[in-house]
Amino acid sequence: MLADQPLIVELAEWLGTPPGQYAQAWEQKQIDGMVANVFGYHAIQIGLPHWDLLRANRISFKGRTGVFFDNAGEQGATVLADPENMPFDTQSIDLLVLPHVLECSNAPHQILREAERVLMPEGRVVISGLNPWSLWGGRDRIPGLDPLMPVPAHMQVSLARLKDWFKLLSFELDRGRFGCYAPPCLNKTWLDRWSFMEAAGDRWWPVCGAVYVVSAVKRVTGMRLVGPTWKTAKKRVRGQAVVTGRQSGLEI
């Protein structure tokens, strides 16, 4: 989608700024822990191909997708594709990682539908996003202040909204976490000075982190094969007839 490319480019550039690096370092640590023990045959990262979020995973085949060609191929197998139309077979992927993909699209729910389609049963999806209800998101709503993040607050997908989408699909939330509680600062020095807020935020206001990472598993309800009911009914009738005959013979 050409209309989404400038926003994705801005987000990729923002990750190189001090607040972007601060968020990126936290997300990398969380995602490394979530994908480390996921097994299977195929792992795919959708979007931001320069950022390797599959490094901690041990699946043999790893690939990435992007919306434009660049030098991302040096990082591994990269496919040019829209996240709303993933070029993968149904039930062919064991692990999907979606870094900030939902908030950079005009159809985030369609992306989740595609994720559900391509994932194997019991496959896992890991999603990171910006929290619109954080201090960073609140800055975007204050008149006269330049927004800290490139993604507008109205496009950011809250975790509560994401949970509702999971319920509509076949995803079961496995685990998640908020992070990056420092106030919106553009300078690395000030971000380092507010580092003590990480521990305090986890304890006192966990839903106010600037970013979040969640992991969900695709659950498929199992089916039980039941044989034709007429066979069982016929056997029962015969059994009842035999018993009735024996009883009537004894009475005579």
Side-chain angles (χ1 to χ4, degrees):
M1 296 176 62
L2 296 176
D4 286 345
Q5 287 191 21
L7 185 57
I8 293 177
V9 171
E10 288 183 19
L11 179 62
E13 294 176 351
W14 178 80
L15 290 174
T17 65
Q21 292 176 349
Y22 167 55
Q24 186 176 13
W26 182 86
E27 290 182 46
Q28 183 78 63
K29 182 179 179 180
Q30 306 307 315
I31 295 178
D32 283 349
M34 291 183 179
V35 305
N37 295 321
V38 180
F39 299 97
Y41 297 97
H42 302 95
I44 300 294
Q45 175 180 325
I46 305 297
L48 299 177
H50 290 285
W51 185 6
D52 186 6
L53 291 169
L54 296 171
R55 66 181 189 182
N57 184 260
R58 289 172 282 181
I59 293 178
S60 58
F61 179 86
K62 301 176 184 178
R64 303 181 183 90
T65 71
V67 295
F68 59 91
F69 279 122
D70 204 335
N71 295 326
E74 299 176 359
Q75 301 288 337
T78 304
V79 178
L80 181 65
D82 289 334
E84 295 87 352
N85 300 284
M86 300 181 188
F88 308 114
D89 292 335
T90 299
Q91 296 187 3
S92 61
I93 307 299
D94 301 283
L95 171 63
L96 271 180
V97 179
L98 308 177
H100 299 281
V101 175
L102 300 183
E103 60 210 25
C104 289
S105 171
N106 292 321
H109 195 263
Q110 173 60 25
I111 297 177
L112 278 184
R113 286 198 187 100
E114 279 291 278
E116 180 192 32
R117 180 186 66 82
V118 304
L119 274 177
M120 295 280 291
E122 302 301 314
R124 185 178 299 273
V125 59
V126 178
I127 300 173
S128 68
L130 300 172
N131 180 17
W133 306 114
S134 66
L135 292 176
W136 294 22
R139 180 188 174 99
D140 190 36
R141 298 183 175 90
I142 299 177
L145 292 180
D146 294 331
L148 181 67
M149 297 175 288
V151 181
H154 70 275
M155 293 189 66
Q156 298 172 18
V157 179
S158 67
L159 185 57
R161 186 182 178 190
L162 186 58
K163 288 180 179 179
D164 289 339
W165 289 348
F166 283 163
K167 292 178 182 178
L168 295 175
L169 301 172
S170 59
F171 287 117
E172 179 182 320
L173 184 63
D174 179 46
R175 51 179 167 163
R177 191 177 179 185
F178 286 93
C180 299
Y181 297 96
C185 303
L186 298 176
N187 189 287
K188 184 179 183 302
T189 302
W190 281 104
L191 288 171
D192 293 339
R193 290 179 180 177
W194 288 102
S195 60
F196 69 91
M197 293 282 287
E198 292 300 318
D202 274 341
R203 182 174 182 180
W204 299 110
W205 50 88
V207 297
C208 294
V211 295
Y212 63 83
V213 176
V214 295
S215 171
V217 179
K218 178 182 175 180
R219 303 296 189 190
V220 177
T221 304
M223 295 184 299
R224 180 181 178 183
L225 298 178
V226 180
T229 56
W230 63 269
K231 290 185 177 180
T232 304
K234 189 174 182 180
K235 289 182 179 179
R236 289 178 179 174
V237 172
R238 288 180 177 177
Q240 291 174 358
V242 172
V243 173
T244 303
R246 289 178 180 177
Q247 289 178 349
S248 61
L250 290 174
E251 290 178 358
I252 292 174

